[in-house]
Amino acid sequence: MKIGVALHELYDSESALAGELLRVADRHAKEQEIHHVAQDLVRWSREHVREIVAAGPRYGLELGNPDLENPEPPTEEAGEIPGEDSGPELLLLADLRRLYRMAAGVSLDWDLLGQGAQVVADPDLLALTKRCHPQSLRQMKWADAMLKTVSPQILAS
């Protein structure tokens, strides 16, 4: 069943988002709101990953638990705002942009899984989607709000 493909994609995207949230929290420890909220938001993604792993066997997936404490660094995309060698302000902006895009991707993956769960009439998978997707939307909205808060100051300085 192709639901397993959607579940695997969601596992990958939630794992990556959890790692990126943790990395951003650590990298911007002096920015109190970024640091503390990102640490709080990573808990949701970690829980989502655990639930996806638990749902996997019903769809032929044996997903391991990724090392969310020591995530792999993200791959930079073309057109990315300068990162590591830039000042802390541009690095923060680049990190928030990446978080927003990643959270938007996770939200889309939850949407797709929810649609698939409806079609195959899987009430457990649908309940998982309804439980986790709103939290993913809140992660995306937080990143968007932070971008709107910090970008005018960063870009005008």
Side-chain angles (χ1 to χ4, degrees):
M1 200 174 281
K2 295 197 172 65
I3 292 287
V5 172
L7 203 54
H8 196 279
E9 285 296 314
L10 185 55
Y11 167 83
D12 288 343
S13 63
E14 277 283 11
S15 298
L17 180 59
E20 186 63 14
L21 283 163
L22 184 61
R23 203 173 5 268
V24 167
D26 290 344
R27 183 180 290 168
H28 301 287
K30 291 181 182 177
E31 298 288 336
Q32 293 296 306
E33 183 175 357
I34 301 290
H35 176 74
H36 291 294
V37 175
Q39 283 183 326
D40 287 342
L41 294 178
V42 77
R43 291 185 191 116
W44 283 344
S45 285
R46 286 176 175 163
E47 181 57 34
H48 297 171
V49 168
R50 283 190 287 276
E51 291 200 52
I52 292 165
V53 167
R58 290 184 304 150
Y59 292 95
L61 297 174
E62 293 299 326
L63 303 167
N65 284 312
D67 185 1
L68 300 177
E69 297 297 328
N70 300 299
E72 293 292 319
T75 57
E76 296 295 326
E77 295 180 19
E80 189 73 29
I81 287 178
E84 298 295 336
D85 58 343
S86 298
E89 296 87 12
L90 282 180
L91 182 58
L92 175 60
L93 191 57
D95 286 343
L96 288 171
R97 287 178 70 237
R98 187 171 31 258
L99 274 177
Y100 176 79
R101 288 192 311 268
M102 292 175 81
V106 168
S107 177
L108 175 61
D109 288 345
W110 279 115
D111 272 339
L112 295 174
L113 185 65
Q115 294 297 316
Q118 285 180 339
V119 168
V120 300
D122 184 330
D124 293 333
L125 202 53
L126 192 55
L128 172 64
T129 302
K130 287 182 177 182
R131 197 168 48 250
C132 296
H133 188 220
Q135 293 172 332
S136 295
L137 285 171
R138 287 173 63 190
Q139 289 169 317
M140 182 181 71
K141 288 177 183 177
W142 172 77
D144 183 49
M146 293 310 304
L147 279 166
K148 289 176 181 172
T149 299
V150 304
S151 64
Q153 301 144 352
I154 293 171
L155 295 174
S157 62

